[in-house]
Amino acid sequence: MSGYQTGVLIILCFNIMAAYAVYLPLVAGQLNLGIAGFMAIGAYTAAYLTTETGWPLAAALPMGGAAAGAIALVVAIPILRTHGIYLALATFALGQVISAVFLNLEVVGAAAGYQVPLYAPPIAVYAMTAAVVLFVVALSQTRFTLYLTAIKNDRLVADLLGLRVRALQVAAFTIGAVIAGIGGGLYAHHFSFIEAQHFSVSLSIYTVLYVLLGGTQTVWGPLVGAIFFSLAPELLRAGESWRYVLFAALIVAFMAVRPQGLVTPTGIRALFRAVGRRAATSRVRS
Amino acid sequence: MIAQQLINGVMLGSIYVLVGVSFTLAIGILNFLNFSIPGLFMVGGMVTWVMLTGGWHWAFAIGAALAAAALVSLAVEQLSYRRTRGADPEVPLVSSLGFLVLLENLALLGVGSDQQAFPSLLGDFNFRIGGLVIGAAQAISLVVTFLLVIGLSIVLGRTNLGRQIRAIAESRSTAVLLGVDVGRLVPKIFVLTAMFTALGGVMFALSYLQVSPFMGEGVGFKGVAAMIIGGMGSVWGAVIGGLIIGVIEVGSIWAFGADTVNIAVYGSLLALLILRPHGLFGRPAIREKL
């Protein structure tokens, strides 16, 4: 594989991890507009541990995830007393604060950025991405995700059925933040350099964009959305400076034509039926 | 010295007021967190600048900017708001974010990413009152802002249009039953928010003498903060919120330096959300929003 292809694939992997971090709380109707902040916490925590205290990567990454999860927990518990939009905006504010704090934190280089000598090879990134996807897919087979969907559809009914709505929402939000933290830690070690500006509002916003573009009704939506969003600007590269214009126009058009996202359960079933029919006809022909 | 900082903060805050009011109108009436607003803010400043450098009279330049913003806002209404009703509540938000990205990149194509110097229409004229300096452009912004908000309050409180707007804010279906033509009213609200936002952009350009494709982002997001601090859906809350944000921003620069602005502004927003989630002047949400 050429360096360019590897580069695109690595970006895709980080986008997939971020997408699933946004997806989990979104299944329960909680929009996280500050995913970059949680990635930054994971990145800086893990990078600090490997660089300053000599921890191995395998131990530093989970610590990064745990740190992001802890912050998410601290914010989500008071904020989730109220409804979704307040959480969305609180996470938005939190993302801004986190990025600004790292911009001023001298121990990790402040505005000059932070060098991370320990290198995570591409294979580590692929493996972790696969693990995250498998984890979320496995989780989607459990009652946990079913409960989250129930909360999103009608929190009152979910509450009446005996679900612990707030605990479930906090859990989904925290797990998402842990995924983001691990992804961030890996990001720091793969690119060997981080600075606060990497973890900007636009990163959070783009992540939410591709999750919703892919669709939140199935576990495959974020994957498809991340793939589309990572590859579309590359394919549009021919247009050079026009590509982000085209790209943004695509977002608006997709949302207008298909507000439920690209991948839906009925869509998947229809696809399987179509494939099955074609397989059946080809069998008949042969 | 503190009095001067306070004045500077209020002047800066008046820009956030207009954007905050736009956000609060969109949320309070349409239940729509309209993230195309920072883009409309940029359109206001940028189109004015383009027209002025093209040799237009300032009144026509501003008029062209307002018209452009209104057209874009109508497109947002058609594509982001109308087409996505009934979908997940995040979808209109994301679609309007798509508009923000679109507008920024179109501007980027047109003028490049550099800050552009905006011509000073008022010269270098300042008021001096008892040792305090007040820039003329800033003072005019503040006055215009207050006139606009007072005008909006009168429209919302006294006129037939305002009654219809308040009716659909209260309950859309009841308003329809009572004979409000929602299909015609909603575009008017979008044009109204576009006017407020774009004027904010024009005043920002007049006061700070610069425009750039990304000028809307920082201001737009602080407008969101202003809206939250004041309480969503409350117009005068957004006014107070905007002024508070302006004072916090100027104060934190004065006391701790420019790097701490985001910590101070968004930190206070976060603290407020945790302590008093419905804002200083908002009522707790009766209906679920988003």
Side-chain angles (χ1 to χ4, degrees):
Chain A
M1 228 182 331
S2 74
Y4 169 72
Q5 284 166 324
T6 313
V8 172
L9 209 58
I10 291 284
I11 295 291
L12 171 63
C13 282
F14 285 117
N15 285 347
I16 290 173
M17 282 188 273
Y20 277 114
V22 169
Y23 165 77
L24 268 181
L26 204 54
V27 175
Q30 304 290 337
L31 182 60
N32 184 347
L33 281 177
I35 206 66
F38 296 110
M39 288 181 73
I41 294 174
Y44 276 99
T45 308
Y48 183 82
L49 288 174
T50 57
T51 311
E52 310 293 332
T53 58
W55 283 36
L57 192 60
L61 284 184
M63 275 310 290
I71 300 282
L73 196 66
V74 168
V75 176
I77 287 178
I79 286 295
L80 280 172
R81 277 181 308 170
T82 55
H83 297 306
I85 197 166
Y86 294 97
L87 178 72
L89 292 166
T91 55
F92 173 76
L94 184 68
Q96 297 273 32
V97 171
I98 291 169
S99 154
V101 165
F102 284 122
L103 193 65
N104 286 288
L105 213 56
E106 287 298 333
V107 281
V108 287
Y114 192 47
Q115 296 286 347
V116 189
L118 193 65
Y119 176 68
I123 187 74
V125 179
Y126 302 147
M128 185 54 83
T129 308
V132 165
V133 175
L134 284 178
F135 170 74
V136 181
V137 170
L139 204 61
S140 75
Q141 306 299 315
T142 66
R143 279 171 174 268
F144 179 71
T145 311
L146 198 63
Y147 293 157
L148 297 185
T149 314
I151 292 168
K152 178 182 188 165
N153 287 335
D154 197 326
R155 51 184 289 136
L156 188 65
V157 171
D159 198 17
L160 290 173
L161 288 172
L163 297 185
R164 297 177 59 194
V165 171
R166 272 190 60 203
L168 285 162
Q169 284 180 321
V170 171
F173 191 75
T174 308
I175 297 174
V178 171
I179 293 177
I182 292 175
L186 213 50
Y187 179 95
H189 291 91
H190 181 75
F191 291 106
S192 306
F193 177 74
I194 41 175
E195 55 179 336
Q197 289 93 321
H198 284 165
F199 305 99
S200 61
V201 189
S202 343
L203 175 60
S204 304
I205 285 172
Y206 276 114
T207 308
V208 173
L209 282 178
Y210 41 75
V211 173
L212 285 171
L213 187 86
T216 55
Q217 292 178 13
T218 73
V219 71
W220 304 109
L223 189 65
V224 172
I227 292 173
F228 181 84
F229 256 66
S230 310
L231 301 186
E234 299 302 324
L235 296 178
L236 293 171
R237 199 174 271 279
E240 273 312 323
S241 49
W242 278 93
R243 68 185 175 136
Y244 281 104
V245 173
L246 289 172
F247 182 55
L250 269 180
I251 297 169
V252 173
F254 264 125
M255 284 295 163
V257 176
R258 207 168 158 80
Q260 68 275 47
L262 288 173
V263 187
T264 57
T266 40
I268 290 184
R269 277 197 292 277
L271 188 70
F272 274 120
R273 231 176 291 130
V275 172
R277 209 176 300 130
R278 196 166 307 150
T281 44
S282 61
R283 263 201 304 279
V284 169
R285 282 209 197 104
S286 63
Chain B
M1 201 52 203
I2 287 187
Q4 179 70 57
Q5 297 302 331
L6 210 58
I7 288 176
N8 293 349
V10 169
M11 299 292 166
L12 178 64
S14 72
I15 305 284
Y16 302 148
V17 166
L18 286 177
V19 181
V21 167
S22 304
F23 272 110
T24 217
L25 282 179
I27 274 279
I29 301 168
L30 306 166
N31 206 3
F32 172 30
L33 188 55
N34 185 351
F35 265 115
S36 71
I37 285 175
L40 296 171
F41 182 88
M42 184 272 294
V43 166
M46 193 59 96
V47 173
T48 310
W49 174 76
V50 169
M51 292 306 163
L52 280 177
T53 48
W56 287 33
H57 186 264
W58 60 269
F60 290 109
I62 293 175
L66 294 185
L71 282 178
V72 174
S73 196
L74 286 173
V76 173
E77 194 264 336
Q78 278 295 324
L79 293 168
S80 296
Y81 180 74
R82 184 167 299 202
R83 296 297 302 271
T84 58
R85 288 190 60 80
D88 280 352
E90 304 85 19
V91 170
L93 187 163
V94 165
S95 177
S96 63
L97 268 172
F99 265 100
L100 172 59
V101 178
L102 183 65
L103 292 172
E104 284 182 347
N105 283 291
L106 279 175
L108 200 62
L109 272 180
V111 302
S113 60
D114 296 337
Q115 296 257 349
Q116 306 290 341
F118 193 86
S120 172
L121 293 179
L122 295 158
D124 202 13
F125 181 60
N126 290 324
F127 298 107
R128 285 174 192 277
I129 305 166
L132 300 173
V133 184
I134 303 173
Q138 280 94 332
I140 291 173
S141 302
L142 189 68
V143 171
V144 172
T145 298
F146 269 87
L147 289 179
L148 281 172
V149 176
I150 291 168
L152 178 69
S153 296
I154 293 173
V155 167
L156 285 180
R158 303 275 166 96
T159 65
N160 194 32
L161 177 72
R163 267 186 285 277
Q164 293 184 7
I165 289 175
R166 280 182 292 139
I168 70 165
E170 205 61 47
S171 162
R172 197 187 180 92
S173 46
T174 314
V176 172
L177 286 177
L178 290 172
V180 175
D181 188 347
V182 175
R184 283 173 55 125
L185 186 59
V186 168
K188 286 182 195 158
I189 297 168
F190 270 85
V191 171
L192 190 68
T193 58
M195 294 293 103
F196 265 76
T197 318
L199 271 174
V202 172
M203 285 180 210
F204 179 88
L206 283 176
S207 299
Y208 298 94
L209 302 179
Q210 57 189 18
V211 289
S212 80
F214 302 104
M215 65 190 265
E217 275 188 14
V219 176
F221 296 148
K222 283 182 188 128
V224 176
M227 166 189 80
I228 304 281
I229 286 181
M232 276 189 250
S234 155
V235 171
W236 285 101
V239 173
I240 306 288
L243 298 181
I244 291 176
I245 295 275
V247 170
I248 291 177
E249 178 166 350
V250 170
S252 66
I253 293 176
W254 181 58
F256 308 109
D259 291 337
T260 57
V261 169
N262 276 358
I263 301 181
V265 169
Y266 295 104
S268 17
L269 173 62
L270 195 60
L272 186 91
L273 274 169
I274 288 170
L275 296 173
R276 199 179 153 81
H278 41 87
L280 293 176
F281 303 99
R283 289 165 299 172
I286 302 162
R287 295 166 294 143
E288 180 143 352
K289 290 184 191 250
L290 197 124

